[in-house]
Amino acid sequence: MLKATTEAILELGLHALTFDEVTRRSGVAKTTIYRHFPTKNALIVAALDGVTPVPITPDTGSLRQDLIEFLESVRPIFADPTVRKIMADVQSAALRDKELRTLQTKMLAGRAGPTLTIYERARERGELRDEIDYLTAVEIIEGPFIVRSLARPQALKDVDIEELVDRILVQLTP
Amino acid sequence: MLKATTEAILELGLHALTFDEVTRRSGVAKTTIYRHFPTKNALIVAALDGVTPVPITPDTGSLRQDLIEFLESVRPIFADPTVRKIMADVQSAALRDKELRTLQTKMLAGRAGPTLTIYERARERGELRDEIDYLTAVEIIEGPFIVRSLARPQALKDVDIEELVDRILVQLTP
DNA sequence: CTGTTACGCTACGACTTAGTAGCGAAATTC
DNA sequence: GAATTTCGCTACTAAGTCGTAGCGTAACAG
């Protein structure tokens, strides 16, 4: 039923989700759905909870290698039309709905986790400048992927990750 | 009437726009609206055409100064809740609707224009490496703003533009 | 002044959705 | 095996939306 909900969101959009549509797709009676999820937001949050994949958190002992492997694992996520649709829908809805803003915050936090861990380990090894703002650093890493996935997602496969990491490291290392 | 349409989109979201709502807000009869814009997409495209502000295209003779002034003019645009809502809505809708994908492409192209001009002038002055991929360069410039406006827009005002430009120039200049 | 065009208004019919009520069947619990 | 909880199904009201038709009126062009 949550699976049917997710599929409906993907096809029709988050805004066009209806209880009747979920009923049609899942075979579960509308009344039953209402019993579990009294509001549409509750249904949405339950369905999308844990949908977007969490990238790996490599631990090779080298910041450069960690970032490269991390970005390699991130690339297919941002290239995935499913993920892009969900994130775009949630972003749009979060600007007008408080509950969905919470959902979005959770999604973004989940995605920032691996990057923060990588930075933390690198900082302990002394590979990073101390005065780094970590949130900004996360933006620097994921930025090129996010921007490209918005504007020209078909070009995501052309990102030269090693070159990108080297350019970024210039900004972050002593 | 197009103004009322835009306001309705901002308040309710692009998806929740209805002819009846535009009728209520504008005072224009629904039949009249249908006469001008037979489909909802036509109404949306007409209303949003030229809504998002185009940043300035500075020409100071220096790439560094051009970029700084450009980003200063871009910052309030990305910080504007109106622009953020419209762009998020269009992004979301463009993933499922071909006509709105065209609208989005036009919006993005309009925004990339100034950056491309700045780069072109700098290249003629010999300030830029030749092998630069210009679209990538645009992403590099606007990336930090876009990413931050998505994840934590309230921190947009904290971006140190001069520092950002200097970091970027390291990547782009010979 | 007259013909034409554009607009406003009301009123539809068909459709979809939200949300609830009532009842019988199935599954679960003890 | 009996009791309780959960579920499926049908039906229903109220509301909103789409898209159109008919008719009267205002603006405008020649």
Side-chain angles (χ1 to χ4, degrees), chain A residues 2-62:
Chain A
L2 291 180
K3 186 182 167 191
T5 303
T6 306
E7 289 172 0
I9 293 175
L10 283 175
E11 277 186 38
L12 312 171
L14 192 55
H15 51 278
L17 183 73
T18 65
F19 284 95
D20 287 302
E21 185 63 31
V22 177
T23 297
R24 273 188 289 271
R25 289 170 182 258
S26 67
V28 177
K30 184 163 69 161
T31 45
T32 305
I33 301 176
Y34 269 104
R35 276 191 270 262
H36 288 288
F37 310 101
T39 70
K40 209 180 284 187
N41 274 348
L43 178 60
I44 291 170
V45 169
L48 295 188
D49 190 47
V51 157
T52 60
V54 173
I56 63 173
T57 310
D59 188 9
T60 66
S62 146

Side-chain angles (χ1 to χ4, degrees), chain B residues 45 49 101-111:
Chain B
V45 170
D49 190 47
R101 190 149 51 236
T102 305
L103 172 67
Q104 188 205 21
T105 302
K106 229 174 73 180
M107 283 182 168
L108 293 177
R111 280 233 329 288

Side-chain angles (χ1 to χ4, degrees), chain A residues 33-113:
Chain A
I33 301 176
Y34 269 104
R35 276 191 270 262
H36 288 288
F37 310 101
T39 70
K40 209 180 284 187
N41 274 348
L43 178 60
I44 291 170
V45 169
L48 295 188
D49 190 47
V51 157
T52 60
V54 173
I56 63 173
T57 310
D59 188 9
T60 66
S62 146
L63 174 58
R64 182 175 185 275
Q65 194 58 30
D66 280 356
L67 288 180
I68 289 174
E69 295 189 5
F70 169 75
L71 288 182
E72 293 287 5
S73 83
V74 160
R75 190 210 303 260
I77 295 178
F78 280 112
D80 182 357
T82 296
V83 173
R84 294 197 6 250
K85 280 179 190 162
I86 289 180
M87 294 305 291
D89 281 4
V90 171
Q91 167 70 25
S92 164
L95 290 176
R96 292 189 191 76
D97 186 298
K98 198 178 168 186
E99 293 180 274
L100 296 182
R101 190 149 50 237
T102 304
L103 172 67
Q104 188 204 22
T105 303
K106 230 174 70 180
M107 282 183 170
L108 293 177
R111 280 234 328 286

Side-chain angles (χ1 to χ4, degrees), chain A residues 72 75-76 78-80 144-145 148-149 152-161:
Chain A
E72 293 287 5
R75 190 210 303 260
F78 280 112
D80 182 357
F145 282 94
R148 188 162 289 198
S149 91
R152 38 182 195 135
Q154 73 287 352
L156 268 177
K157 62 178 182 348
D158 301 329
V159 177
D160 184 335
I161 288 183

